[in-house]
């Protein structure tokens, strides 16, 4: 398996190491530059993305599964095809209702992930 390298052009998902980042949650960094990062998150039913905030703007796209998200105190259930915008420093988190995958895009990149 491989670790994704900054500015790497070709990044093959089946060769990228997943990192356990919480119980029932694994993360794969798919590609990144200093300005942008694409991350795939695999959640098991019941797994929690704890409430948090960061100085990055984030877009989340639901690839599969369903999730209850909280963003800035508002809760919604989201499903495949839905997308969320989380501005920098806005508190957000989720609970996985059905095994699924979230695709996150960050700007700038999340240095603490690499």
């Amino acid at each position: 398996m491989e670790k994704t390298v900054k500015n790497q052009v070709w990044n093959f998902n089946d060769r990228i190491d997943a990192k356990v980042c919480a119980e029932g949650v694994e993360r794969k960094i798919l590609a990144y530059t200093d300005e942008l990062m694409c991350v795939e998150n695999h959640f098991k039913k019941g797994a929690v993305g704890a409430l948090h905030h960061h100085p990055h703007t984030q877009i989340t796209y639901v690839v599969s599964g369903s999730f209850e998200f909280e963003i800035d105190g508002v809760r919604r259930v989201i499903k495949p095809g839905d997308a969320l915008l989380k501005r920098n420093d806005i508190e957000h988190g989720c609970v996985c209702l059905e095994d699924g995958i979230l695709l996150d895009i960050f700007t700038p990149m999340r240095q603490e992930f690499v």
Side-chain angles (χ1 to χ4, degrees), residues 60-67 77-83 98-103:
T60 298
Y61 176 79
V62 183
V63 176
S64 63
S66 65
F67 299 81
V77 173
I78 60 171
K79 60 188 183 330
D82 294 340
E98 174 187 330
D99 287 4
I101 298 172
L102 299 176
L103 187 68

Side-chain angles (χ1 to χ4, degrees), residues 1 3-5 7-9 11 23-24 29 31 37 43 52 65 70 78 84-85 99 101 103:
M1 296 302 265
K3 182 176 179 180
T4 305
V5 177
N7 298 319
Q8 187 168 298
V9 174
N11 299 282
E23 187 174 338
I29 298 171
M37 178 178 264
F43 281 77
H52 65 286
E70 180 175 332
I78 60 171
L84 313 166
L85 173 65
D99 287 4
I101 298 172
L103 187 68

Side-chain angles (χ1 to χ4, degrees), residues 10-30:
W10 302 99
N11 299 282
F12 299 99
N13 193 306
D14 64 348
R15 297 182 192 167
I16 298 171
D17 284 327
K19 178 183 177 188
V20 174
C21 49
E23 187 174 338
V25 184
E26 291 186 347
R27 171 191 308 135
K28 285 186 175 187
I29 298 171
L30 301 182

Side-chain angles (χ1 to χ4, degrees), residues 51-90:
L51 284 173
H52 65 286
H53 61 88
H54 43 73
H56 312 82
T57 295
Q58 175 181 353
I59 293 174
T60 298
Y61 176 79
V62 183
V63 176
S64 63
S66 65
F67 299 81
E68 182 181 68
F69 258 88
E70 180 175 332
I71 301 172
D72 203 20
V74 177
R75 290 184 183 192
R76 298 279 187 273
V77 173
I78 60 171
K79 60 188 183 330
D82 294 340
L84 313 166
L85 173 65
K86 295 167 249 172
R87 294 274 185 194
N88 56 313
D89 293 319
I90 298 296

